[in-house]
Amino acid sequence: MKNRTHRCGDLRTEHVGETVTVCGWVDTKRDRGGVAFILLRDVAGKVQLTFSEETDSALLAQTKEARGEFVLSATGKVRAREEENRTQTMATGDIEIVVEKFEILNTAVTPAIEVRDDLKCDPELRLKHRFIDLRRRPMQAMLQARAKLVSSARATLEAEGFLDVETPVLYKRTPEGARDFIVPSRAHRGQFYALPQSPQLFKQLCMISGLDRYFQIARCFRDEDKRADRQPEFTQIDIEMSFPTMDDVIELFEKVVAAIFDGIRRDERFKDQSWPVLSAGDVKPPFERMTYEQAMRDYSIDRPDLRSRDLKLTELNEWSAGCSFNAFKGVAEKKGLIKGLRCPGMAGEFSTGQLKNLERDAKGMGATGLANLKVTETGLDGGIAKFIPEPEQKAMIEAFGAKPGDLLLICAHEKHKVVHAVMHNMRLLIADKLGLSDPHKFAICWVVDFPLFEYREEDEKLFASHHPFTLPQDVQRVHELAEISRAGKEPHPVARMLRGGVEIEEVIALRNNQYDLVCNGIEIAGGSIRMHRTDYQADVFELIGISKEEAEKKFGFLMSALAHGAPPHGGIASGVDRLLMLLLGLDNIADVIAFPKSATGRDLMIDTPNDVEPALLEELGVRMVAKPEK
RNA sequence: GGGGGUGUAGCUCAAUUGGUUAGAGCGCCGGCCUGUCACGCCGGAGGUUGCGGGUUCAAGUCCCGUCACCCUCGCCA
């Protein structure tokens, strides 16, 4: 085999006259009898190899042996094609290689899936034969864009003085949060490591070690049920810095985002792709900021899709409290939530059956129902209109700012969460119908002022809404609440605080120093300023019900580190996979990962997870038990 | 864990109310063709209808179970 001199896709008219050697895969073969053409493909593109009876009839006969996906090396002279034989469909369409010698480096069986850009087939097959799927141009471009994204981020962070530090993959089980993957230890029979859900605590420890600025392209693992935008292992750009204000972190990360967009846009390799990132308008820092409260009020979600920013939800609690429709009135009296969406000009867009389907979807999310009303010249029509007297109709229309021809969708429920879930989804659906979900537009914003705690009423427990290492905005008040809790005798901190005269509303209203970056309704990064003092950390642990002993056992290393002069610090983490999905306009995370797992967490190509030998289990001190009968 | 969808040739899909030998396009194999580029033309091979059970004179089609994949709710500090 001769040394390769050029890549197939790189040859142009400037190479005419040169004798070259190219290597690659047979993409297609077109045999016309006295003349034959082989399209040879490599990472850079495709080039036409030409064989003819006139030039070398023995060589032409040899091409019979070359079949699809065979690996060839071919040597020949680059020739300009005749005017009428040129093609625009390939970058190399103006030239061809008149082959003098070629060699079959390897044969290939017929692949299960075809190597073509517009392949349409069952995703299962693509996963099973991933190494073939990845031969396709869109997949190779995706991987190139992914590498470019990471290198742009890396270059920016290094220029800003950040140090790439690797943290352990064999970590420790943490009972809170997502489920861990556990790894049995042979040396310590019966004991387990866990794979990290994120390097959160290690990056804090890096700050305490005085590294000042840390980053890592880190693999994270969560053993939760999969979704279109979730994988059991995924990659984060993980960042932490010492002595920052929130604005410092935000400004830094805006630079990273701008560099990522820029890097892919300016890369010549991607100019033939139809990715949103290549055609969308500029994403220019500084990005706008929105409070959590505002996001929830207008969009019922903490990651609003601002491509449809004017399509806002309307709260109807006040209207409902005085209305004649008992279902709404009852919810208002029980301090529930009533929210509605004005769907402009859509009164005629939904059939009765389609409205029923919307209600079915809402009920699937826990709603009792989903009211619909059509706005007419004279008032309201359809659905629950007959239960609402005319003056109340007028007031409602006014509350919505509705016009004749509008459709109103309203959901009421005692549980605010249910209403938020339903109305958020309805808003997305209507935005889509209105053509406001164009993947080629990017609407990016920071969401700030998140709640410090989430309150779960069922068991009267508080949870850290981000993670328990996030610095509260009002550490003084948190300390006072923790002191009240410590003084009480009731079993739970919430009960102790209530007994101590604290209103639960006040606790829920506490805010933290968290910031999320949201684009088109997707959370692409999230971070916070952390607690750097043991007393701050102890106060929060107290309020979320982690006892001193428990904190010592689970996070003793952190508490100890904080006590050794931890600097104020904070950071951010960004999901590479979701970010890339967004930039490329894809809607499945598997399409931006070289070797992804299926929706049940299996790798269909290498077939894992799988069984291991009983002897190994014995060595590990692990015993299999039968799946419990239902 | 709940709900929905899909499963027929290598691939994408057909197959009437349950009824003859389960078809088509692409791909694959063979032949022909001196400028193709989604080449064309002629011919051919290729099927455990995901798997298991049931109903029936008869099942790709109906019923039960099961497996895989996809979507979704829960879950994802």
Side-chain angles (χ1 to χ4, degrees), chain A residues 16 91 94 100 103 143 211 328 350 364 371 443 459 543 572 575 588 598 604:
Chain A
V16 168
D94 289 337
E100 289 152 16
E103 189 182 342
L143 289 176
L211 298 180
F328 286 2
F350 291 90
D459 46 10
L543 293 181
I572 192 164
N588 195 304
S598 78
L604 302 178

Side-chain angles (χ1 to χ4, degrees), chain A residues 557-609:
Chain A
F557 61 97
L558 175 71
M559 296 302 270
S560 165
L562 292 179
H564 284 79
H569 60 284
I572 192 164
S574 175
V576 165
D577 316 274
R578 283 189 190 171
L579 182 54
L580 190 62
M581 257 169 86
L582 181 79
L583 299 184
L584 307 194
L586 301 170
D587 50 20
N588 195 304
I589 199 165
D591 288 336
V592 296
I593 297 174
F595 300 105
K597 307 240 183 321
S598 78
T600 56
R602 303 197 71 86
D603 186 314
L604 302 178
M605 183 174 58
I606 65 172
D607 190 24
T608 192

Side-chain angles (χ1 to χ4, degrees), chain A residues 144-163:
Chain A
Q144 288 161 355
R146 187 176 175 117
K148 185 79 205 181
L149 185 162
V150 169
S151 73
S152 300
R154 182 182 294 280
T156 308
L157 289 164
E158 284 179 351
E160 297 285 334
F162 285 79
L163 185 70

Side-chain angles (χ1 to χ4, degrees), chain A residues 338-357:
Chain A
I338 305 100
K339 284 186 103 169
L341 177 64
R342 169 183 165 246
C343 315
M346 303 205 80
E349 294 295 310
F350 291 90
S351 66
T352 311
Q354 287 170 319
L355 287 170
K356 274 238 161 73
N357 283 344

Side-chain angles (χ1 to χ4, degrees), chain A residues 361-372:
Chain A
D361 293 347
K363 283 180 175 170
M365 290 177 243
T368 322
L370 181 74
N372 69 83

Side-chain angles (χ1 to χ4, degrees), chain A residues 261-287:
Chain A
F261 274 74
D262 224 36
I264 292 177
R265 284 175 169 187
R266 287 204 304 225
D267 195 316
E268 284 289 302
R269 290 175 297 176
F270 307 138
K271 62 185 178 200
D272 60 332
Q273 298 298 318
S274 58
W275 299 334
V277 63
L278 300 175
S279 58
D282 268 346
V283 175
K284 277 202 187 105
F287 306 141

Side-chain angles (χ1 to χ4, degrees), chain A residues 23 40 56 65 77 91 103 116 124 204 214 224 257 281 364 479 511 586 604 630:
Chain A
C23 299
L40 199 66
D56 191 336
E65 291 164 32
K77 197 170 266 185
E103 189 182 342
R116 51 187 297 171
E124 188 176 350
Q204 292 191 238
Y214 144 99
E224 292 294 345
V257 170
H479 180 64
R511 301 287 124 154
L586 301 170
L604 302 178
K630 276 184 82 177

Side-chain angles (χ1 to χ4, degrees), chain A residues 34-253:
Chain A
V35 62
F37 307 95
I38 288 176
L39 260 192
L40 199 66
R41 159 172 37 83
D42 69 9
V43 70
K46 300 169 188 173
V47 70
Q48 176 163 286
L49 308 181
T50 304
F51 303 82
S52 83
E53 216 163 48
E54 282 170 9
T55 325
D56 191 336
S57 61
L59 196 69
L60 176 69
Q62 274 180 44
T63 63
K64 296 257 179 224
E65 291 164 32
R67 301 182 180 280
E69 298 307 312
F70 275 31
V71 187
L72 307 186
S73 104
T75 302
K77 197 170 266 185
V78 179
R79 175 168 78 184
R81 294 198 197 184
E82 300 288 334
E83 189 65 44
E84 66 271 24
N85 293 334
R86 293 185 182 171
T87 175
Q88 304 295 312
T89 56
M90 296 188 299
T92 62
D94 289 337
I95 54 103
E96 62 192 345
I97 299 175
V98 184
V99 177
E100 289 152 16
K101 194 183 157 216
F102 81 93
E103 189 182 342
I104 292 173
L105 303 177
N106 204 352
T107 59
V109 296
T110 304
I113 55 176
E114 294 176 58
V115 182
R116 51 187 297 171
D117 293 359
D118 59 349
L119 177 73
K120 190 179 149 263
C121 80
D122 192 332
E124 188 176 350
L125 279 165
R126 293 180 54 206
L127 293 182
K128 266 187 183 150
H129 308 277
R130 193 61 161 183
F131 50 92
I132 302 295
D133 193 31
L134 292 179
R135 282 186 190 167
R136 298 165 49 234
R137 171 67 191 147
M139 296 303 282
Q140 299 212 340
M142 172 279 287
L143 289 176
Q144 288 161 355
R146 187 176 175 117
K148 185 79 205 181
L149 185 162
V150 169
S151 73
S152 300
R154 182 182 294 280
T156 308
L157 289 164
E158 284 179 351
E160 297 285 334
F162 285 79
L163 185 70
D164 183 1
V165 179
E166 292 175 86
T167 57
V169 166
L170 293 177
Y171 182 50
K172 181 181 178 180
R173 166 150 164 76
T174 49
E176 287 81 19
R179 278 175 282 238
D180 292 309
F181 285 100
I182 62 166
V183 182
S185 161
R186 183 190 49 79
H188 303 276
R189 201 165 184 272
Q191 293 192 307
F192 300 86
Y193 301 99
L195 305 182
Q197 297 168 23
S198 79
Q200 177 62 36
L201 291 176
F202 281 104
K203 68 177 179 177
Q204 292 191 238
L205 293 169
C206 284
M207 296 303 96
I208 297 167
S209 302
L211 298 180
D212 194 68
R213 294 188 156 200
Y214 144 99
F215 85 99
Q216 185 182 191
I217 310 302
R219 198 64 72 86
C220 308
F221 307 86
R222 292 178 194 175
D223 190 8
E224 292 294 345
D225 289 352
K226 266 46 88 180
R227 285 286 182 81
D229 63 348
R230 273 189 231 157
Q231 279 274 311
E233 51 180 314
F234 58 99
T235 306
Q236 282 188 348
I237 300 171
D238 196 43
I239 298 170
E240 195 78 6
M241 55 207 282
S242 292
F243 314 111
T245 62
M246 181 174 93
D247 287 340
D248 290 335
V249 182
I250 284 181
E251 276 167 38
L252 181 268
F253 197 71

